[in-house]
Amino acid sequence: QVQMVESGGGLVQAGGSLRLSCAASGRAFGGYAMAWFRRAPGKERDFVAAISWSGSFTDYRNSVKGRFTISRDNAKNAVYLQMNSLKPEDTAVYYCAAKATYSDSYYSTSRYDYDYWGQGTQVTVSS
């Protein structure tokens, strides 16, 4: 079983930066594709970024490309989301998610494909 806890959220002004962390207990992240999703008030949980278990493959929603970077450190059982040039529309609760896989290249942009979820961390961007 995998348990994950997000941290690093907070209140930041537009143009600022935050780095979100997701720390795991239980089995190591090695062998798991990882992703970040976010849920804005009154909206559905949307894909933000994903990374394969080796870190060799990444993907991002178009609105965060060039601003956000997903990374992982399997030795530390951690995944990160570096968020730069934040905009008010980035305001949401951010969740990390994990999916067991034997494929180095696998990841998914669908929230329905992930097996484990953190509790979420709030990111608020003011203008």
Side-chain angles (χ1 to χ4, degrees):
Q1 188 176 8
V2 175
Q3 296 84 39
M4 300 183 295
V5 178
E6 301 96 334
S7 63
L11 176 63
V12 65
Q13 292 182 326
S17 298
L18 288 172
R19 191 174 89 147
L20 305 184
S21 299
C22 180
S25 62
R27 294 185 179 272
F29 278 172
Y32 290 84
M34 302 294 299
W36 289 93
F37 290 78
R38 66 188 183 187
R39 188 182 185 95
K43 297 185 177 180
E44 297 180 350
R45 188 177 300 190
D46 292 327
F47 170 75
V48 178
I51 187 167
S52 64
W53 70 261
S54 71
S56 298
F57 300 89
T58 60
D59 197 14
Y60 301 87
R61 71 180 295 114
N62 287 335
S63 62
V64 308
K65 288 180 179 178
R67 299 190 297 120
F68 291 10
T69 302
I70 188 171
S71 62
R72 65 191 298 162
D73 187 338
N74 289 341
K76 297 181 179 179
N77 288 347
V79 62
Y80 308 98
L81 186 68
Q82 178 67 46
M83 305 186 296
N84 298 327
S85 301
L86 283 162
K87 303 175 180 180
E89 52 263 45
D90 296 318
T91 295
V93 177
Y94 284 71
Y95 302 87
C96 63
K99 169 66 176 180
T101 180
Y102 293 109
S103 173
D104 174 60
S105 62
Y106 174 84
Y107 63 86
S108 176
T109 62
S110 173
R111 64 183 182 271
Y112 301 109
D113 290 334
Y114 288 87
D115 301 311
Y116 303 100
W117 293 86
Q119 85 291 343
T121 185
Q122 176 71 48
V123 172
T124 302
V125 184
S126 64
S127 60

